[in-house]
Amino acid sequence: MDDLVIGMAGAGGDGIVSIGESLVSSAAADGYFAIMTKSFGSQIRGGESSCRLRLSTRPLYNPGGTLDIAVALNWEDFMRFGAELPVGGQTVVIYEAKTGVDPARLPLEGVTPAESLAVPIADLAKAHGGDRSKNMVVLGLIAGWFGIGRESVLAGMRRKLSKKGEEVLAAAEKAFSAGQTYAAAHPLRKPRVLAPATQPAGSLLLADGNDICAMGAIAAGCRFFGGYPITPSTEIMQRLGRDIWQFGGAVLQAEDEIAGIGAAVGASYAGVKSMTATSGPGMSLKTEVLGLATIAELPLVLVNVQRGGPSTGLPTKSEQSDLFQGGFSGHGDGLRPGLAVTGVADTFATTVGAFNIAEEYQTPVVLLSDQDIAQRKESFAPFDPTAIPLVNRLVPTERDLQNYRRFLFTDSGVSPVSHPGMAGGSYLASGIEHSESGAPTSSGQMHERMLAKRFRKLDPLRKRRDLFELVGDAKAPLGLIAWGSIAGVCRESIALAQAEGIRAKLLIPRLLFPVAEEIYREFLGSLRAGLVVEQSYQGQLYRLLRMYIDVPDKVVSLTRPGANPFRPEEIVDRLRAFSLALQHSHQPPVSE
């Protein structure tokens, strides 16, 4: 097999996520491309947990579809994850024998897996490593049956547990060995082995999206972060707290979300590249200060790691339902750029790009990630972090400072910005409408001119084709539009469709606001049928496009809310149906 998808679930304390961490680390070290996602119940402590791991000999863009291997330490917890851990006819199911479920009567709602293996996991752990060693037994079973990471898992285990003492390490190794021995004594009916890795051992990077976002911020020159912990964005603050001081920066964990962004705006006013990060509920609280940064024309990057909503919603699940919030939250006529990452690897460049846009256009930028990307681990080829040019804000010249007008009307709409301590550069940066000098005004005429200035300066973004990616034949009659983590699913769908001879293309926007009308119109021009694919209930990007563009009736919305992931195969099914309909009719197919 050149591609393998593993899904596991159990109770808190079973070490499910530790299994995934060990496997993804060893696979990446061995030269495999890998993606690991993790999912939890919304309890503060305890409850169910799961992880999903995909290993491949080729680059990956999504966590895959139906499982090849399913591991259930108890069935109640496994079934809570539903569509997140889909079992099919090719799946090998490994489960705890103590659950007492007959292999022929698994609670899988009519699905018959390829093979079902009831293993005394708890008994093996107790006899060889102790009650808390079930995860090591499972690692041994997977290594024994599927040949994954026999040596690298042990090497990683030794690195991780060596600080806990020889006794703990010895117990873990015994449990791992017990799992391997059991697998050897009970071979699969149809052996499955992962093909050799195509990349040299040790040649791939392994990271998660939040860590890469923090690293991208530091590389962009960010030297201040003000924020407040909130799932699933907290790791950005944690990583910056560990690393930013080495570059002369600082992190403030504020008393709440409002204070966090307030501090970041203050740091930007002082001339420092600044950032804050949150999720949907925190974004709601930050909105008023985001408006202050807009009218004061201060650079700022605000990361929103999306989760299921509204309100507390699904705090540990991924969703793409904050698009409207990112672009429209706040009162008054304010336009702010919005970017979206599409995977762990591109989070670095997109984060740097967000800082560059913030600095060039003196504006807050909303950077949308989601739980899937932010908290998943992914292995990818190394890149040069210094290859992306950095942009710094326009500062006043000596001539400008002789009669400094902070909000000077210019052809571009961008005005030189000073900072405290710059001789002659003092100005008032308030939330009230102002004249060119920054003096408060209630003039309707001045308000209109300032609004036009703030909108005009963002016009060049609409022409930034480098913020869009076209996959496939530009003249194809079938097409997909997808953003965020769903872009990776659609990328694979296009590849599968093209392998069948279906002419299809994909547009991936990293720029969401302002809407690049011309680029979308060009993409839609050749389409006879298409889908805008999103992980939200109402299809917010589809609705956004219809606000600005005459989207053809033949291009329809395909949506699904959080915790109900798309699989590449089901999107290929839709493209296949479109293709067949086009072959038999001169009219575009009708959406159901």
Side-chain angles (χ1 to χ4, degrees):
M1 303 179 69
D2 61 4
D3 195 289
L4 192 65
V5 182
I6 306 169
M8 298 171 275
D14 282 341
I16 288 294
V17 175
S18 293
I19 298 172
E21 297 272 6
S22 295
L23 285 174
V24 75
S25 296
S26 63
D30 286 343
Y32 288 101
F33 294 99
I35 289 178
M36 189 201 90
T37 60
K38 49 191 175 183
S39 184
F40 308 92
S42 56
Q43 303 89 338
I44 299 298
R45 289 180 61 85
E48 69 277 12
S49 63
S50 78
C51 76
R52 178 188 181 92
L53 182 71
R54 186 180 185 189
L55 311 177
S56 182
T57 57
R58 60 182 183 272
L60 296 174
Y61 303 102
N62 66 83
T66 304
L67 303 179
D68 296 300
I69 306 168
V71 180
L73 294 187
N74 71 72
W75 283 110
E76 185 179 357
D77 287 328
F78 187 90
M79 297 306 293
R80 282 194 176 108
F81 290 97
E84 296 175 76
L85 299 175
V87 175
Q90 82 272 26
T91 309
V92 174
V93 177
I94 304 164
Y95 67 99
E96 170 58 66
K98 280 190 173 181
T99 58
V101 176
D102 187 286
R105 297 181 176 275
L106 302 183
L108 294 173
E109 301 178 1
V111 176
T112 302
E115 191 166 352
S116 302
L117 304 161
V119 181
I121 296 171
D123 290 343
L124 288 170
K126 187 173 183 179
H128 296 90
D131 292 334
R132 298 180 64 84
S133 298
K134 287 188 285 187
N135 54 348
M136 299 301 171
V137 172
V138 173
L139 280 170
L141 292 170
I142 292 174
W145 273 321
F146 305 98
I148 301 171
R150 286 188 177 96
E151 297 305 320
S152 51
V153 166
L154 276 173
M157 188 188 304
R158 288 165 184 150
R159 286 193 303 271
K160 186 175 181 179
L161 299 178
S162 59
K163 297 179 182 178
K164 296 187 176 183
E166 288 297 325
E167 187 176 339
V168 173
L169 179 58
E173 290 184 348
K174 283 178 63 179
F176 180 80
S177 179
Q180 283 190 297
T181 301
Y182 186 93
H186 303 81
L188 299 177
R189 289 200 301 265
K190 182 181 178 181
R192 304 186 186 196
V193 179
L194 192 61
T198 55
Q199 305 300 306
S203 64
L204 298 178
L205 297 177
L206 179 68
D208 63 44
N210 279 340
D211 276 351
I212 287 290
C213 181
M215 295 172 189
I218 291 174
C222 176
R223 294 299 177 263
F224 183 83
F225 178 94
Y228 184 78
I230 182 172
T231 301
S233 75
T234 304
E235 295 87 354
I236 296 173
M237 181 170 65
Q238 291 172 334
R239 170 61 68 176
L240 287 170
R242 287 194 293 269
D243 293 343
I244 199 171
W245 63 271
Q246 300 177 64
F247 302 89
V251 167
L252 171 68
Q253 180 174 324
E255 66 269 28
D256 57 36
E257 295 278 8
I258 301 170
I261 188 173
V265 171
S268 181
Y269 171 75
V272 177
K273 291 186 181 181
S274 302
M275 179 187 193
T276 187
T278 189
S279 191
M283 177 82 173
S284 299
L285 293 169
K286 292 180 185 294
T287 297
E288 183 177 359
V289 182
L290 195 62
L292 170 61
T294 300
I295 198 168
E297 300 191 50
L298 289 171
L300 176 74
V301 172
L302 189 162
V303 181
N304 179 354
V305 182
Q306 299 166 97
R307 65 193 213 186
S311 190
T312 305
L314 299 174
T316 60
K317 308 291 184 178
S318 194
E319 199 166 73
Q320 293 180 302
S321 53
D322 289 355
L323 176 58
F324 285 170
Q325 184 189 47
F328 299 129
S329 59
H331 57 283
D333 283 320
L335 176 64
R336 66 184 70 99
L339 301 180
V341 302
T342 66
V344 173
D346 92 329
T347 295
F348 185 93
T350 309
T351 302
V352 175
F355 275 95
N356 284 347
I357 290 172
E359 291 287 316
E360 181 173 359
Y361 299 105
Q362 298 176 17
T363 177
V365 174
V366 175
L367 178 59
L368 291 173
S369 180
D370 56 51
Q371 186 271 342
D372 182 287
I373 293 171
Q375 294 189 322
R376 83 185 186 199
K377 286 195 178 295
E378 188 175 310
S379 67
F380 47 89
F383 55 85
D384 180 3
T386 66
I388 307 171
L390 301 185
V391 176
N392 294 309
R393 64 193 67 178
L394 178 67
V395 296
T397 64
E398 289 187 14
R399 182 176 179 180
D400 293 329
L401 292 170
Q402 290 174 7
N403 181 26
Y404 183 54
R405 288 174 290 170
R406 163 64 186 100
F407 302 102
L408 179 70
F409 291 121
T410 63
D411 291 340
S412 68
V414 177
S415 315
V417 55
S418 67
H419 57 77
M422 185 179 289
S426 296
Y427 74 97
L428 177 64
S430 70
I432 199 167
E433 191 58 280
H434 44 254
S435 66
E436 288 183 282
S437 66
T441 181
S442 58
S443 163
Q445 183 182 23
M446 181 59 70
H447 178 51
E448 183 175 4
R449 291 189 69 192
M450 281 295 172
L451 283 170
K453 172 187 188 297
R454 293 191 287 265
F455 273 73
R456 181 174 71 251
K457 68 181 181 180
L458 299 180
D459 284 344
L461 280 175
R462 292 185 171 89
K463 298 178 173 59
R464 285 276 303 272
R465 293 181 180 272
D466 60 305
L467 296 175
F468 291 79
E469 183 178 356
L470 176 66
V471 179
D473 179 1
K475 300 298 183 183
L478 303 178
L480 305 173
I481 299 175
W483 65 285
S485 56
I486 301 304
V489 179
C490 290
R491 190 190 294 272
E492 184 168 333
S493 302
I494 290 293
L496 292 171
Q498 289 175 331
E500 295 183 17
I502 299 172
R503 289 186 65 207
K505 61 181 179 179
L506 165 66
L507 184 67
I508 302 173
R510 289 180 175 82
L511 176 71
L512 299 170
F513 294 99
V515 175
E517 300 167 38
E518 181 180 340
I519 294 173
Y520 284 109
R521 287 194 186 102
E522 286 182 8
F523 180 82
L524 295 168
S526 71
L527 296 189
R528 297 180 63 192
L531 298 169
V532 182
V533 189
E534 303 175 71
Q535 194 175 26
S536 68
Y537 182 77
Q538 61 179 323
Q540 294 184 15
L541 179 59
Y542 176 73
R543 292 172 181 269
L544 176 67
L545 294 180
R546 292 185 65 186
M547 289 177 63
Y548 289 87
I549 303 164
D550 291 328
V551 177
D553 292 341
K554 56 203 173 187
V555 176
V556 297
S557 178
L558 178 61
T559 66
R560 187 171 297 162
N564 297 287
F566 284 103
R567 294 178 291 111
E569 296 81 3
E570 64 184 294
I571 297 173
V572 175
D573 288 343
R574 295 292 295 267
L575 290 173
R576 192 181 296 117
F578 282 158
S579 181
L580 289 172
L582 290 178
Q583 292 174 28
H584 293 93
S585 172
H586 294 296
Q587 300 297 320
V590 178
S591 170
E592 64 266 23

